[in-house]
Amino acid sequence: MEQLRQLFPEIFTEGKIDIKRLTATLGENVATGRENYELSWAGKADARAEIQKRTTATLRPDTANSVNWDATQNLNIEGENLEVLRTLQKAYFGKVKMIYIDPPYNTGNDSFVYPDDYTETLKEYQARTGQTDEAGFVNKQTLWKKNTKENGQFHSVWLSMMYPRLFLARNLLRDDGVIFVSIDDNEAADLKLLMDEIFGEENFIGKIVWKKKTNGNNMGLIPPVHDFIFAYAKNAKSIPEDNFGLPLSEEFISKNYSNPDGDERGLWTTMDLSANHEGPYYPIVNPKTKESFLPSRGRYWVFNETETLKRIKDGRIIFGKSGDARPVQKVFLNERKSKRLKIESWWDKHGLNEDGTAELTELFDMAKIFVHSKPSKTISFLVNAATQSNDLIFDFFSGSGTTAQAVLDLNEEDGGNRQFICVQMPEVLDESSEAYKVGYRTIADIGRARISKVIEKIESKRLEGSAQGVLTKDDMQKQALGFNAFKLAPSNFKEWRTDVDNEADLLAQLEYHVDSAKPDSEAGGMVYELLLKLALPITTPIESHKVGDAATAATVYMAKPDSGKHVAMFFEAPANHAGDVLAFILKAKPVKVLCLNKCFVDSQALTNFSLQLQDADIALEVL
């Protein structure tokens, strides 16, 4: 809205858009016909409405299931992904370099269809289903059900599920960010149209055909042995050519470049001197043999005659390594414009489904722990092609944690320090499954366990390499290994009822909100919720400081983002320590202080506190 206001201030009236004025302003650029080219389905308007909804949920730290909490920026989040996407909108807007998702393929057997409105009250929910969770809100796990092909809106429900998630995910991408989405034949056509609408046709950068198995078990006239990976950019024009593609490997260089003549300019290869577009046409004479050469039929030289003679003299055009063959260009490695290779659109050597199965079998030392897991090798190729060493990768259909493993393994291989955010709903496992029998209860449990096992494997290799003298001290201190686990949870703060319509209820609401925190709220949970609301990454370093006498000290939490604009928070400040808290904050000089209203004995104490912060140019927000 603000961007529209900057572009077209004349279309606004009393804070709202006048559609007639906007139409008049855009003139011929408005489609006025009844029929337009668009993707439409039953429920699209409701799916659009999901994008505008705000969340009261938060992410609660789960330190018990984390690994090396303070050492890493990696995140593993358990929760319904649409609601998690909403919680991340402020803090991670425009910060993600790459998204990879492997969503439900809508085969008729996946469980994914569920209402997206999780803000129903107990009364509303009970009236609709008769089921509820302990807090009186929707139990998200019970809403998963199969979308069978007998459903009259089979494709529509899948599109409605994907639309708001892809839209909100796009917000998180950097301007030069990319998204990869795996899919099979069932929804490939619809996915292409959906992503064209959300990301723009101009930002479609390719479709990879990935061979997932060697045979299709004779299914159908053409056995389905492949899936697709659609690739879109946030803004394709913002991606430099040298910032996308696979880095040049030593194997590639040794195979394609050499320096047999000891050229001081270094390794080189040869390239055709002609092209099939119209250009100069003349004989090139070999100075040594005097033999002349013309371009092949239908082709032309890429340089004019003057430039060609100059390059022959400079040794940049040669007549084969023997000196008497057709003229070719000498292309030097150190002058190569891009240090990356274009990725191919057909993948048959980048891992199969059976490799993903074998990978999990090895990690967990048991078979069938999780089915249909992508091989980490496949995802690693995508990460390697689309990211640099310190980029952030996001997967909100993370399943067994393949993307997290791909990031960790690639970092270990190339010395990078990429971070990941993985989101998985705690979908309950079948009691007859092998994973359930050994103690896992949800897919999210398997994902966390897999990441932990990958970390243990890397640490073991490091120690083994160090003992053998293969790894140096620097090798042992490459990427920080670990992840911070969080769970989607209700807000730590009370929510104001908007349906109050009488004096008695209003007074009750005011009394209820004297303390804005819920009774079961913990300080740690409030800190991380406030980080998200302040648009700070949830991995922002937090320091806790005890202020006052040891027996009754108040705790002040200091958030220290990379920007250096520190934020102080406190939620309990006994009256006899109010002065100590103030003195600590004035000395620490944060840019902002957040606290609860109950931290002050009365309004006068709050006013005095506020005025002293104001004099120190420190902002105050009372919750």
Side-chain angles (χ1 to χ4, degrees):
M1 290 285 283
E2 185 57 35
Q3 290 178 2
L4 280 172
R5 190 186 298 277
Q6 295 296 323
L7 291 169
F8 310 117
E10 70 276 12
I11 71 173
F12 282 82
T13 174
E14 296 184 338
K16 296 183 178 180
I17 293 176
D18 185 318
I19 292 297
K20 291 181 179 179
R21 292 184 190 176
L22 176 59
T23 302
T25 300
L26 295 175
E28 295 180 357
N29 294 313
V30 175
T32 57
R34 286 188 174 184
E35 295 180 350
N36 300 304
Y37 177 75
E38 64 174 333
L39 174 63
S40 183
W41 67 88
K44 185 174 185 179
D46 291 335
R48 278 204 188 104
E50 288 296 329
I51 297 168
Q52 303 300 330
K53 290 180 180 177
R54 297 188 179 186
T55 183
T56 57
T58 186
L59 300 179
R60 188 163 292 172
D62 180 14
T63 54
N65 285 311
S66 302
V67 176
N68 299 332
W69 178 276
D70 293 323
T72 177
Q73 300 288 303
N74 296 322
L75 289 175
N76 182 270
I77 302 171
E78 177 183 308
E80 191 281 313
N81 58 14
L82 179 59
E83 202 72 358
V84 172
L85 281 163
R86 288 177 176 138
T87 68
L88 299 177
Q89 288 297 296
K90 284 186 177 181
Y92 289 90
F93 185 90
K95 294 181 179 177
V96 175
K97 181 62 170 66
M98 171 187 155
I99 295 173
Y100 171 78
I101 57 172
D102 186 18
Y105 285 3
N106 206 20
T107 62
N109 295 312
D110 353 47
S111 298
F112 69 85
V113 183
Y114 48 90
D116 277 330
D117 187 356
Y118 300 131
T119 59
E120 294 177 284
T121 64
L122 172 60
K123 183 178 179 181
E124 292 169 333
Y125 185 59
Q126 285 179 331
R128 184 169 66 80
T129 65
Q131 301 177 53
T132 186
D133 66 7
E134 295 175 358
F137 288 87
V138 173
N139 182 351
K140 304 176 185 67
Q141 295 181 45
T142 66
L143 297 176
W144 287 72
K145 59 184 179 182
K146 288 185 179 180
N147 182 36
T148 64
K149 292 188 176 182
E150 287 70 32
N151 181 0
Q153 297 180 345
F154 179 67
H155 294 290
S156 292
V157 293
W158 185 85
L159 287 164
S160 290
M161 184 272 292
M162 292 293 292
Y163 187 85
R165 288 161 178 78
L166 287 171
F167 195 101
L168 293 177
R170 182 183 180 276
N171 290 342
L172 303 184
L173 283 175
R174 289 170 17 181
D175 200 45
D176 63 346
V178 294
I179 180 172
F180 297 98
V181 183
S182 285
I183 202 70
D184 71 359
D185 291 304
N186 286 282
E187 293 292 355
D190 286 333
L191 178 65
K192 176 66 169 65
L193 293 173
L194 185 65
M195 296 193 71
D196 280 347
E197 178 171 325
I198 295 172
F199 289 86
E201 294 180 61
E202 68 279 7
N203 291 315
F204 172 64
I205 57 178
K207 179 178 72 173
I208 297 167
V209 180
W210 172 60
K211 187 175 181 180
K212 61 183 178 181
K213 52 187 175 182
T214 55
N215 67 75
N217 298 322
N218 296 317
M219 294 173 60
L221 296 175
I222 301 178
V225 298
H226 57 273
D227 282 352
F228 307 101
I229 303 173
F230 284 92
Y232 280 77
K234 175 78 170 287
N235 182 354
K237 294 180 179 178
S238 296
I239 302 177
E241 186 176 338
D242 197 29
N243 203 26
F244 191 89
L246 296 171
L248 300 182
S249 64
E250 291 184 8
E251 180 184 0
F252 173 84
I253 293 172
S254 62
K255 183 178 179 180
N256 294 278
Y257 288 86
S258 62
N259 191 5
D261 59 352
D263 195 310
E264 61 182 13
R265 289 166 289 197
L267 298 173
W268 55 272
T269 189
T270 58
M271 182 183 295
D272 196 347
L273 193 56
S274 66
N276 60 5
H277 57 77
E278 192 169 341
Y281 190 88
Y282 56 90
I284 294 179
V285 179
N286 184 334
K288 176 182 174 184
T289 65
K290 307 305 180 184
E291 183 179 2
S292 64
F293 298 89
L294 289 170
S296 302
R297 186 174 181 179
R299 298 180 69 85
Y300 303 85
W301 298 128
V302 294
F303 302 116
N304 61 41
E305 193 167 3
T306 301
E307 180 66 20
T308 294
L309 291 172
K310 179 181 177 183
R311 286 176 174 264
I312 291 174
K313 184 177 180 181
D314 196 31
R316 290 180 176 271
I317 292 178
I318 61 175
F319 295 83
K321 294 180 179 180
S322 63
D324 54 9
R326 288 186 63 81
V328 291
Q329 298 184 62
K330 228 184 188 186
V331 181
F332 294 93
L333 176 63
N334 60 12
E335 294 177 354
R336 185 185 173 106
K337 286 184 179 180
S338 175
K339 296 300 185 290
R340 289 182 169 241
L341 294 173
K342 301 288 186 184
I343 61 176
E344 299 173 345
S345 59
W346 170 259
W347 285 14
D348 61 354
K349 298 177 182 177
H350 299 337
L352 300 170
N353 269 342
E354 62 186 46
D355 298 319
T357 301
E359 201 167 37
L360 284 177
T361 299
E362 180 186 356
L363 271 175
F364 285 84
D365 195 25
M366 64 176 293
K368 298 181 179 180
I369 189 76
F370 190 84
V371 295
H372 305 310
S373 174
K374 290 287 186 296
S376 62
K377 178 182 178 181
T378 305
I379 312 307
S380 181
F381 268 89
L382 296 173
V383 175
N384 203 8
T387 70
Q388 305 291 326
S389 60
N390 292 299
D391 287 337
L392 179 60
I393 295 93
F394 184 38
D395 182 350
F396 53 93
F397 282 100
S398 65
S400 68
T402 306
T403 298
Q405 178 172 350
V407 172
L408 291 168
D409 286 345
L410 183 59
N411 280 343
E412 203 64 13
E413 179 184 323
D414 67 6
N417 192 33
R418 302 168 187 83
Q419 297 92 45
F420 62 78
I421 301 176
C422 288
V423 180
Q424 176 57 41
M425 183 168 172
E427 185 177 356
V428 178
L429 297 169
D430 191 302
E431 293 186 16
S432 63
S433 68
E434 296 301 316
Y436 192 95
K437 292 175 183 177
V438 297
Y440 300 109
R441 292 295 175 262
T442 67
I443 293 177
D445 290 341
I446 295 174
R448 280 191 297 269
R450 177 181 189 167
I451 302 171
S452 298
K453 289 178 181 296
V454 170
I455 290 171
E456 290 172 4
K457 184 177 179 181
I458 291 174
E459 289 175 335
S460 178
K461 283 186 177 180
R462 286 184 180 182
L463 291 173
E464 183 180 343
S466 177
Q468 295 175 355
V470 177
L471 296 179
T472 65
K473 183 178 179 181
D474 290 337
D475 289 326
M476 295 290 287
Q477 296 176 345
K478 288 196 286 190
Q479 65 171 326
L481 294 171
F483 64 90
N484 294 355
F486 285 84
K487 290 186 177 182
L488 185 70
S491 173
N492 293 282
F493 302 98
K494 297 172 182 175
E495 295 148 27
W496 183 267
R497 283 178 52 194
T498 57
D499 60 344
V500 173
D501 58 3
N502 60 73
E503 184 177 344
D505 285 349
L506 176 60
L507 290 173
Q509 275 277 86
L510 291 170
E511 181 69 25
Y512 177 63
H513 282 270
V514 168
D515 180 359
S516 58
K518 292 178 180 177
D520 60 344
S521 295
E522 297 179 352
M526 288 190 280
V527 167
Y528 288 103
E529 181 169 356
L530 292 174
L531 285 179
L532 293 171
K533 294 183 184 300
L534 289 167
L536 293 175
I538 203 166
T539 53
T540 299
I542 302 293
E543 293 180 358
S544 61
H545 301 270
K546 295 291 185 181
V547 179
D549 296 335
T552 58
T555 303
V556 178
Y557 299 90
M558 192 71 69
K560 295 192 170 183
D562 293 338
S563 64
K565 297 180 179 180
H566 300 167
V567 177
M569 309 176 208
F570 63 96
F571 311 109
E572 289 185 284
N576 58 325
H577 289 321
D580 295 326
V581 171
L582 176 62
F584 174 83
I585 290 173
L586 292 175
K587 184 177 180 181
K589 296 182 179 178
V591 296
K592 191 171 188 176
V593 173
L594 294 95
C595 61
L596 299 179
N597 186 65
K598 71 173 186 179
C599 293
F600 303 93
V601 292
D602 52 35
S603 297
Q604 183 177 354
L606 171 57
T607 300
N608 290 337
F609 186 81
S610 176
L611 289 173
Q612 293 193 65
L613 291 186
Q614 186 177 332
D615 289 341
D617 199 25
I618 298 173
L620 172 65
E621 185 171 344
V622 180
L623 308 172

